[in-house]
Amino acid sequence: MINAIYPIIGNQSSLPFYLTGIGVSAPEYHIVRESGLVSHQLCFTAYGRGILKVGGNSYVQTAGSFFYLSPGIQHEYYPDGGSWTTSWTVFRGDYLAPQMRALGFGDYAVKGGCTEHIKQIFSQLLAAANNPVSGAERCSGLIYEYILAARGLLLSEGQPDESSPAAKGISFMEEHYGEDITLESLAALSGVSLQHFCRLFRARTGMRPMEYLARKRISSAKLLLWNTSEPIAVIGERCGYPDPAYFGAVFKKYEGISPREYRLFKGSAVI
């Protein structure tokens, strides 16, 4: 039996996130979607065992398994040797696709260890969806909370955050941003391949490692421009840019004005 709610979509389509369906399938059926879904989907196994096929791979789903599927991704799932109960949520948003990519989500993600927090948010979503009068706004906020909780589970590295490759890179840049730092040295410090480090770092921060470094350097330069009378060239060198012209170009790229203009206006033009 499927206990599902499919809201009537009206004004809620103007919200950043809106629910298109939520339910519990007990048991889950054999689903084949050659063209994927129009919506984003989050789903966790409440009971039993199933198989998810996506991206040319097969994933065993047992109690606590959790997966995300982006729109348009071909997939198939079905019970494996008995009853399989799933709790699923589908949602949309006009600008959701780039936001999901910025948060680190790709075409799909699969992980075990669904948390009680995730289950609680699902229950709250289910309750809010039952209110056709005022539930849409509540669901919109809960969907964002659900996405962040899913991100914490699906994109985590299974180790304490302080010791993760991305966290190691961040800590090093925070302490040594004024030094000559290369992408290769960050990956080596973190103990993973260059490509893997970049993927993990982007999933964690929403930006590339060298972009983070540049933003950190400019942030520190802004404080020095505001709080000291040091020459701009000296400040640039202290923040990792020994070439004054390059420092000025990078500063203007991120702040829209030159370091000199920033100092003149005490940052008021860009705060």
Side-chain angles (χ1 to χ4, degrees):
M1 180 182 71
I2 297 179
N3 176 21
I5 300 171
Y6 295 101
I8 297 172
I9 307 301
N11 290 337
Q12 61 263 50
S13 63
S14 64
L15 296 170
F17 317 94
Y18 62 93
L19 190 72
T20 53
I22 185 170
V24 176
S25 296
E28 182 60 86
Y29 296 100
H30 188 157
I31 303 294
V32 179
R33 297 190 178 104
E34 294 292 340
S35 301
L37 284 168
V38 176
S39 300
H40 300 258
Q41 181 180 16
L42 289 169
C43 179
F44 66 86
T45 295
Y47 173 82
R49 179 184 172 99
I51 301 294
L52 167 67
K53 292 186 175 181
V54 62
N57 300 306
S58 294
Y59 301 93
V60 176
Q61 302 293 286
T62 56
S65 295
F66 193 55
F67 67 80
Y68 161 76
L69 299 173
S70 65
I73 298 302
Q74 179 183 8
H75 62 272
E76 174 184 5
Y77 50 79
Y78 51 85
D80 182 30
S83 180
W84 182 34
T85 299
T86 64
S87 299
W88 49 269
T89 307
V90 285
F91 52 93
R92 301 178 197 167
D94 286 345
Y95 307 101
L96 188 52
Q99 291 174 345
M100 295 297 281
R101 287 196 296 272
L103 286 170
F105 287 91
D107 291 340
Y108 68 93
V110 186
K111 199 76 173 283
C114 181
T115 65
E116 286 302 317
H117 181 50
I118 286 174
K119 295 176 183 178
Q120 289 171 4
I121 299 173
F122 176 84
S123 297
Q124 292 170 343
L125 267 169
L126 195 58
N130 264 310
N131 186 336
V133 177
S134 59
E137 287 77 11
R138 173 65 172 154
C139 284
S140 182
L142 286 169
I143 288 169
Y144 183 56
E145 187 177 353
Y146 202 26
I147 290 169
L148 293 181
R151 179 177 182 264
L153 173 65
L154 293 171
L155 305 182
S156 67
E157 303 156 46
Q159 54 185 310
D161 189 60
E162 293 79 4
S163 64
S164 69
K168 288 180 179 178
I170 291 170
S171 296
F172 186 83
M173 284 187 277
E174 288 289 329
E175 295 179 13
H176 303 278
Y177 61 88
E179 302 174 11
D180 183 20
I181 300 175
T182 66
L183 192 55
E184 290 77 10
S185 65
L186 289 172
L189 173 73
S190 303
V192 295
S193 69
L194 180 62
Q195 184 178 17
H196 190 49
F197 173 74
C198 290
R199 183 182 67 79
L200 294 175
F201 195 94
R202 187 165 189 130
R204 175 69 175 79
T205 67
M207 65 185 81
R208 298 181 300 275
M210 302 314 285
E211 179 186 356
Y212 184 96
L213 177 60
R215 290 184 181 275
K216 171 61 184 177
R217 286 171 167 170
I218 297 305
S219 176
S220 299
K222 286 162 64 177
L223 288 176
L224 291 171
L225 287 166
W226 197 337
N227 295 319
T228 76
S229 58
E230 288 185 339
I232 291 175
V234 173
I235 290 175
E237 187 168 6
R238 284 184 59 183
C239 293
Y241 296 112
D243 182 344
Y246 185 62
F247 170 54
V250 176
F251 193 99
K252 191 166 187 176
K253 173 184 176 181
Y254 288 108
E255 299 300 327
I257 59 177
S258 70
R260 190 176 302 279
E261 290 170 321
Y262 185 90
R263 169 171 274 173
L264 178 65
F265 294 110
K266 292 292 186 182
S268 61
V270 293
I271 287 177

